[in-house]
Amino acid sequence: MVFSDSLLLDEIPSVAVDDSGNVFFAGKSWERRVIHLFGPDGIYRRSIGNYGEGEGEFLEISGIQLRNDSLYVFDDELERATVFSSEDGTLLEAFNLRPGKINAAEESGEIRWKPVWAREDGTFLVQRKEEKNPAYYPNRFLRYFTINRAGDIISEKLLEQKDTKFLVGNYAGRPAPFTLDIPERSLLAMSNDHELYSAWTGEFLIKVFDADGNYLRAYYHPFNRTKLNPEEVIHPRYSHNVQLRRIRETTEYPEEWPALYSLRVDDKSRIWVSTVIDDDDHFEWWVIDSNSVFARFKWPKEKPVQFIKDDFVYTVETNSGGFKEVVRYRIEGISDLY
C-alpha cells in the first residue's frame, strides 16, 4: 500500500501507526510542517497542525508518537511536545520541555533539549545535546533525562551516548568538519514498555536499559566491517566542487565503514538493525529476538524503514515526481516464526 495522495512532500521524518492500521506521518515542505493521517486502505483522512510557533503549530518535527488516544508531536526547534486527539485531530495541550537555565552553556545557546518519548505516567524522555563546533570539540555527548509536564528534570542522567563523529578537513587554513554518508554515531530506540536500546554504529553491540537507565542486557554479534576506500568517497562525487573536494582530500579516513546504520524496535520488542555491507545499493537487515538472529535479508538503501508494526514494515520512498511517500510492506516469513 502506498500512502501519498499527491502531497508533494520534501521529507517525512517520522511515521506512527495505531492499532487499527491508521498511518500518521510528519510531512515537511517549504514553510509547511503538517501531520497527515491515512486510513489502512490508503485513503487520506485529514491533516493535523501547521507550520509556525503558535498553538498547534511546529517549526521542526523531530518525531511523532501515539499513546492511547493521543498523538504526540515533538518539535526540537521549539523544544516542546504538542498533543492532539488521534481520533479527530483536536488540539489537547502542549508542553515546553526545555528546563530552566542551568549553566552558561544553556545561556549561550550551546545546549539544545530534544523531546524524544512520552511515557505512560505523563513524563517525557528528553535528550540534552551539545551544539558545539565539532572541529574544536570532537568529544560531544548526548545525555538523556526524564522531565515532567512542568519542564522540571526529575531524574538523574539516565543514559549517555557519544554524538556523531565528524571528520575534519582543511580549507584555506581553517578546519572544516563534515560527516560521511554513513557516519559513526549513536542509535537509540524505545520499546512499548519504555526499555531503551542503545548502540554505537562502530560495532554490533546493542545495550538495553530500563526506563530508569538501569542496565538490563546486551546483544552482541561478531561482524566484519566493510573496507572504506577514500577515493570512492571523494572522486568522482566531489570532482565538480573544488572547495568540497579539497576539504575531503585533507582529512584522515577510517579504514572501515561502520557496522550498523539504523535501529528499530517493533511492537513485539524484536530488534531490527540494518548493517553496512559491501553493496552500494543495499543494507542487510537483521531481526533479533531473545539474543537470537532469526532473520536476515537485504533491503534497498533508497527505501529506509521508519516503522514496524503487526508484521508490516513502513518505509519512506521517493516517487517518480521526486517527492516522498510512505509505503507499507509485509516481510514474508517473519510472522511464521511465531
Side-chain angles (χ1 to χ4, degrees):
M1 180 68 68
V2 177
F3 304 88
S4 176
D5 200 50
S6 302
L7 293 174
L8 307 182
L9 300 175
D10 296 324
E11 292 182 34
I12 299 177
S14 188
V15 178
V17 181
D18 69 13
D19 291 339
S20 299
N22 296 304
V23 179
F24 298 75
F25 59 81
K28 179 178 179 180
S29 54
W30 176 251
E31 292 193 348
R32 186 167 170 79
R33 309 287 186 272
V34 176
I35 308 302
H36 300 282
L37 169 60
F38 285 79
D41 52 6
I43 296 177
Y44 189 74
R45 298 290 175 84
R46 69 175 65 89
S47 65
I48 301 173
N50 214 329
Y51 181 78
E53 300 184 41
E55 293 185 355
E57 297 178 336
F58 337 103
L59 287 182
E60 199 64 48
I61 302 172
S62 53
I64 63 174
Q65 179 190 350
L66 291 166
R67 174 69 66 203
N68 299 322
D69 295 327
S70 297
L71 170 69
Y72 290 78
V73 182
F74 303 130
D75 186 334
D76 60 353
E77 185 68 26
L78 295 175
E79 299 172 305
R80 75 182 180 192
T82 303
V83 189
F84 299 88
S85 165
S86 60
E87 297 292 327
D88 58 17
T90 302
L91 174 64
L92 300 178
E93 50 192 338
F95 304 97
N96 182 353
L97 297 181
R98 180 183 180 89
K101 303 297 182 183
I102 296 175
N103 54 38
E106 270 88 356
E107 294 286 357
S108 65
E110 293 180 346
I111 300 296
R112 181 172 296 279
W113 293 85
K114 176 182 177 179
V116 176
W117 192 252
R119 291 176 164 157
E120 293 283 3
D121 61 3
T123 63
F124 297 89
L125 178 70
V126 295
Q127 177 198 87
R128 181 184 185 272
K129 178 180 174 66
E130 300 172 345
E131 302 238 306
K132 298 180 179 180
N133 188 333
Y136 302 101
Y137 299 93
N139 298 316
R140 296 161 298 117
F141 292 91
L142 309 171
R143 297 179 173 92
Y144 296 86
F145 300 86
T146 301
I147 284 185
N148 63 21
R149 295 187 170 209
D152 303 317
I153 297 177
I154 58 173
S155 74
E156 299 294 327
K157 179 181 64 181
L158 303 180
L159 183 66
E160 180 176 275
Q161 296 180 313
K162 292 185 291 185
D163 205 345
T164 301
K165 183 178 181 179
F166 279 72
L167 303 183
V168 181
N170 183 292
Y171 184 73
R174 301 181 63 181
F178 67 96
T179 60
L180 296 172
D181 290 344
I182 304 176
E184 288 197 31
R185 60 194 176 105
S186 290
L187 305 175
L188 183 70
M190 279 72 64
S191 66
N192 288 336
D193 56 3
H194 307 302
E195 289 184 343
L196 308 176
Y197 293 71
S198 174
W200 176 252
T201 60
E203 59 180 337
F204 202 137
L205 173 64
I206 302 168
K207 297 180 180 179
V208 187
F209 304 84
D210 68 15
D212 297 319
N214 300 308
Y215 174 80
L216 297 176
R217 59 191 180 277
Y219 302 90
Y220 171 77
H221 290 277
F223 189 84
N224 294 322
R225 293 167 60 174
T226 300
K227 295 295 183 182
L228 188 156
N229 183 348
E231 288 300 314
E232 294 178 354
V233 175
I234 303 170
H235 307 285
R237 183 171 182 180
Y238 295 102
S239 59
H240 65 287
N241 189 312
V242 175
Q243 178 177 341
L244 293 180
R245 188 180 74 242
R246 287 179 177 173
I247 290 171
R248 282 158 175 76
E249 288 175 339
T250 56
T251 192
E252 183 176 344
Y253 287 86
E255 295 182 358
E256 300 166 324
W257 288 105
L260 311 182
Y261 180 72
S262 61
L263 173 67
R264 300 280 185 263
V265 178
D266 69 12
D267 55 318
K268 298 180 177 67
S269 294
R270 299 175 298 197
I271 300 172
W272 297 62
V273 58
S274 60
T275 63
V276 182
I277 58 176
D278 191 13
D279 185 329
D280 292 338
D281 299 320
H282 297 83
F283 292 118
E284 184 175 66
W285 281 84
W286 300 41
V287 187
I288 304 169
D289 183 60
S290 301
N291 212 23
S292 298
V293 178
F294 65 85
R296 289 169 60 177
F297 60 94
K298 287 186 178 181
W299 190 255
K301 291 181 179 179
E302 64 183 16
K303 300 180 179 182
V305 173
Q306 279 277 17
F307 198 83
I308 306 120
K309 184 179 175 68
D310 295 329
D311 300 318
F312 287 109
V313 168
Y314 296 81
T315 67
V316 172
E317 302 180 18
T318 304
N319 62 25
S320 59
F323 297 103
K324 301 296 184 182
E325 59 191 13
V326 173
V327 184
R328 183 178 69 203
Y329 296 87
R330 181 185 293 280
I331 303 298
E332 296 294 343
I334 294 294
S335 60
D336 297 340
L337 297 168
Y338 279 79

